[in-house]
Structures are given as structure tokens and as C-alpha cells.
Amino acid sequence: MFNLNNSLKEIYIELLHKILTFTDFSFGEIWIPDYKTNTIQLIESVAIDSFGEQFINENKIRSFKRDEGLPGQTLTQKKSIIWSTAQDKVQFVRKDLAKKTKINSALSIPLFSSNNIEAILLFGTTRKSPKIYGLDNLILELQNFLGNEIKRKRL
């Protein structure tokens, strides 16, 4: 995926599609931190069902402050975060949209390069608790690889 002459946008879309095909998430997003402005920007979104499509289509938020929302919390804490019953989280800025689209849980995964977060993957599901059996070990193995590849491709 990264060795081909694909653009970063194509790589992001393919990466999200690959992860979504073997999980029970409705949508995935890629967020990129901007350390100069202390914000995090939504770069790409992919949905695999009608709930995810509705969430993506109705989402009006394209950036967060450094510690705002799930992407911002992930950037600040530098670790994966699972929000089961995300709709009830005060920090979940898009909780009204989640309720409307029946998104119940969310998972965020930071992608590292040299201890810096290069990107954050965010996934949402209609399940009360996302099925991540076995995915957690895969995520740990991929966090640094994907972060390094994204940084390399940007250069």
C-alpha cells in the first residue's frame, strides 16, 4: 500500500477500508495533528454501512483543539482510547450526531513515528462495546509501522 505510487489520500482511504472490512465498525476517520496551531484536522472518512455514511455525511466538525473530543484526547494522552457508550461521554463533542446515527462506541488509535503522533485513527460502531478481540495486539504492532510510513510518505 505505501510502496505504490499512491497519494496519501488514496493510502488513507485504502487503510481505513482494510481495517473496516475485518472489524464491526461502521466508519473510520484519519485525523492529523497540527502541532503549530495545537489542533487536529480530519483528513479522511470512510463508511461501510448506512449508520457510518449518515455520521460522515452529517458531521460538520473538521478540526478539534489539542485536548478536545476523542481525537484530541488521544493526542493528549498518547494512547488508544475506547469509549463504550460514547453517546454518554461529556467529552464526546459529536455525541448528538452519534445518538442520531445510532453510533454507540468509538475507538481511537494513535500512530507513532519516533514517539510523535503522526496520525490518529478513529472508528465508530453501533455496538455498545466494539469487538476488538485480537485487534488490540495488531494495533500495537501497527502503531509505529503505520506512523513511520505516513511520515515517510509525507516527506
Side-chain angles (χ1 to χ4, degrees):
M1 171 173 27
F2 286 97
N3 292 330
L4 303 175
N5 290 325
N6 294 344
S7 69
L8 268 174
K9 179 179 176 68
E10 292 169 320
I11 290 169
Y12 293 151
I13 291 170
E14 185 177 350
L15 174 62
L16 290 171
H17 269 292
K18 284 184 185 291
I19 293 172
L20 290 171
T21 56
F22 68 90
T23 63
D24 66 346
F25 293 106
S26 296
F27 72 92
E29 299 174 331
I30 294 186
W31 294 79
I32 303 292
D34 182 340
Y35 291 104
K36 292 177 185 170
T37 62
N38 276 328
T39 60
I40 186 161
Q41 309 293 320
L42 177 61
I43 300 301
E44 198 58 59
S45 303
V46 172
I48 61 165
D49 64 24
S50 61
F51 301 107
E53 285 178 19
Q54 184 181 8
F55 188 91
I56 288 171
N57 290 336
E58 294 186 24
N59 176 42
K60 303 293 184 232
I61 296 175
R62 296 286 182 243
S63 68
F64 285 114
K65 294 178 186 168
R66 180 177 175 82
D67 60 349
E68 185 181 34
L70 185 54
Q73 292 284 313
T74 304
L75 185 61
T76 301
Q77 295 179 30
K78 290 192 167 192
K79 65 178 186 176
S80 295
I81 300 172
I82 297 175
W83 281 353
S84 296
T85 62
Q87 299 172 352
D88 298 332
K89 296 283 184 188
V90 173
Q91 306 94 325
F92 193 26
V93 176
R94 300 181 288 174
K95 66 182 168 191
D96 290 337
L97 178 57
K99 284 179 187 176
K100 181 178 179 182
T101 59
K102 299 182 177 29
I103 299 297
N104 287 307
S105 301
L107 166 68
S108 64
I109 305 161
L111 304 179
F112 295 97
S113 177
S114 303
N115 237 6
N116 291 320
I117 294 177
E118 293 296 322
I120 294 173
L121 301 177
L122 187 144
F123 300 98
T125 179
T126 56
R127 294 183 174 272
K128 294 280 185 205
S129 181
K131 285 186 182 178
I132 59 165
Y133 313 113
L135 187 59
D136 48 353
N137 289 333
L138 178 63
I139 289 166
L140 288 174
E141 291 179 30
L142 290 178
Q143 279 181 311
N144 289 319
F145 171 76
L146 292 173
N148 285 327
E149 289 299 311
I150 288 171
K151 181 178 181 178
R152 181 184 65 80
K153 190 73 173 177
R154 270 198 239 148
L155 297 176

